Amino acid sequence: MSRKWERMVSKNTKTVNKNRSKQGMAPISSDPDRSEVFKGRSIMLALFFVLISILLLATLTKTEGDKMYWYTTLSYLAVGLFVYFIRRPYLKVSKTSLSKRGFARELVLNADKIKEIVYSPGQVVIDLNGKSPLWVYNKSLNRFDVAAMAARLKKFAEQNHITFVDKTV
């Protein structure tokens, strides 16, 4: 389809779905090529902040424990909970690009910069061209749904002519 036709179809689908949601009906099938987001949990960073707050609480009995000490301890605990529940790592797979959360911004990777995608049991590794670091998503450390992610990345690799290596077979 031409891009103009795709935009028109997606615009009409959006308005129909909006009207159907107001009426309490289920939305019609949406665009199959829209971006799909896979979310995980940042366990290690959250655990680091919570352990610091526990360490500060353990050393509280040996100090006088003024108000600033309590604010610092509770702040570390709050940051740990924030990282675990709110600031979740993700991989967004769209038609021609992949994106993830960096330290301060969203990192977008076009399909022409990907060398290969490797799916092994429990993890997905995206190998990039050049000296860029690997993008690694695993089930044990970040709690990603790796099987669903691999299925969508396989479809992405076929659409964009990228090698997809499946090491589970």
Side-chain angles (χ1 to χ4, degrees):
M1 281 193 276
S2 69
R3 290 203 181 266
K4 182 178 178 184
W5 180 258
E6 287 178 6
R7 286 192 304 266
M8 194 167 60
V9 168
S10 81
K11 179 182 156 193
N12 290 338
T13 304
K14 192 183 297 183
T15 58
V16 168
N17 283 338
K18 187 176 180 182
N19 289 336
R20 288 177 66 97
S21 69
K22 287 180 182 178
Q23 296 170 357
M25 297 167 39
I28 60 174
S29 65
S30 59
D31 186 16
D33 294 328
R34 69 167 203 216
S35 62
E36 190 172 351
V37 179
F38 299 97
K39 291 188 176 184
R41 298 267 182 206
S42 182
I43 296 173
M44 295 302 290
L45 187 59
L47 187 64
F48 174 73
F49 285 120
V50 170
L51 287 177
I52 287 177
S53 69
I54 290 172
L55 176 72
L56 289 173
L57 281 175
T59 59
L60 176 67
T61 58
K62 297 176 182 134
T63 63
E64 294 177 10
D66 58 349
K67 288 185 180 181
M68 197 63 198
Y69 195 87
W70 280 103
Y71 291 140
T72 306
T73 304
L74 292 177
S75 295
Y76 274 111
L77 183 65
V79 168
L81 294 176
F82 175 79
V83 166
Y84 184 76
F85 288 109
I86 307 292
R87 195 175 186 333
R88 297 172 63 178
Y90 65 87
L91 175 69
K92 187 190 305 182
V93 182
S94 64
K95 193 172 186 178
T96 59
S97 65
L98 301 176
S99 29
K100 73 172 189 170
R101 173 170 296 166
F103 287 111
R105 60 187 167 93
E106 184 178 53
L107 300 172
V108 179
L109 182 67
N110 291 328
D112 58 345
K113 296 183 180 172
I114 300 174
K115 188 190 311 181
E116 69 177 356
I117 299 172
V118 180
Y119 171 52
S120 58
Q123 78 175 5
V124 172
V125 178
I126 301 171
D127 192 9
L128 310 177
N129 292 331
K131 294 184 178 181
S132 301
L134 301 173
W135 288 12
V136 180
Y137 299 94
N138 55 23
K139 185 176 179 88
S140 62
L141 190 59
N142 294 115
R143 309 305 301 161
F144 280 103
D145 185 10
V146 177
M149 186 186 294
R152 179 63 175 100
L153 285 173
K154 185 174 185 178
K155 182 179 170 186
F156 173 80
E158 289 170 358
Q159 287 176 347
N160 296 298
H161 309 294
I162 300 170
T163 57
F164 184 84
V165 179
D166 190 0
K167 293 186 177 179
T168 60
V169 180

